[in-house]
Amino acid sequence: EKLLPLDLEVKRVAESLKKSPLDLILNGGEEYELLMTFPFSKFAELSLAAQANAIPFTMIGHTVSSPKRVQLRTRLGKLKVLNPLGWTHF
């Protein structure tokens, strides 16, 4: 959770809507970052390529085998199950 990039504007919008910034990031429907997975052995190569091209690159976690659910480690170190909420346009 603490590694997720948080734009100041997202924080302001969340405050005005009285919502959690994390809720907007995960379920708001306005993708503001690109998320990808790759073998850890490629991390250095991808990180250097991003840096060379002035592309922000943040490693936010890793994947593990799990019984078909997504979990987020909170700032306090606890695992929180994320329920996919999706997005509906109008």
Side-chain angles (χ1 to χ4, degrees), residues 36-54:
M36 65 179 169
T37 60
F38 53 85
F40 186 74
S41 62
K42 297 287 186 183
F43 176 73
E45 177 184 346
L46 291 170
S47 182
L48 287 172
Q51 186 178 22
N53 291 284

Side-chain angles (χ1 to χ4, degrees), residues 38-77:
F38 53 85
F40 186 74
S41 62
K42 297 287 186 183
F43 176 73
E45 177 184 346
L46 291 170
S47 182
L48 287 172
Q51 186 178 22
N53 291 284
I55 299 170
F57 186 82
T58 305
M59 186 160 83
I60 62 169
H62 61 274
T63 59
V64 295
S65 180
S66 179
K68 295 185 182 182
R69 64 180 182 210
V70 176
Q71 298 177 341
L72 176 75
R73 188 168 304 280
T74 68
R75 292 177 192 267
L76 300 175

Side-chain angles (χ1 to χ4, degrees), residues 1-3 5 10-13 15 30 33 42 50-51 53 59 70 72 77 80:
E1 174 182 5
K2 65 185 173 186
L3 297 177
V10 172
K11 188 175 179 181
R12 287 182 185 152
V13 169
E15 288 173 359
E30 298 298 327
E33 296 282 338
K42 297 287 186 183
Q51 186 178 22
N53 291 284
M59 186 160 83
V70 176
L72 176 75
K80 174 183 174 182

Side-chain angles (χ1 to χ4, degrees), residues 7-21 24:
D7 186 84
L8 183 57
E9 196 59 34
V10 172
K11 188 175 179 181
R12 287 182 185 152
V13 169
E15 288 173 359
S16 71
L17 296 173
K18 297 184 180 359
K19 291 194 173 236
S20 157
L24 289 183

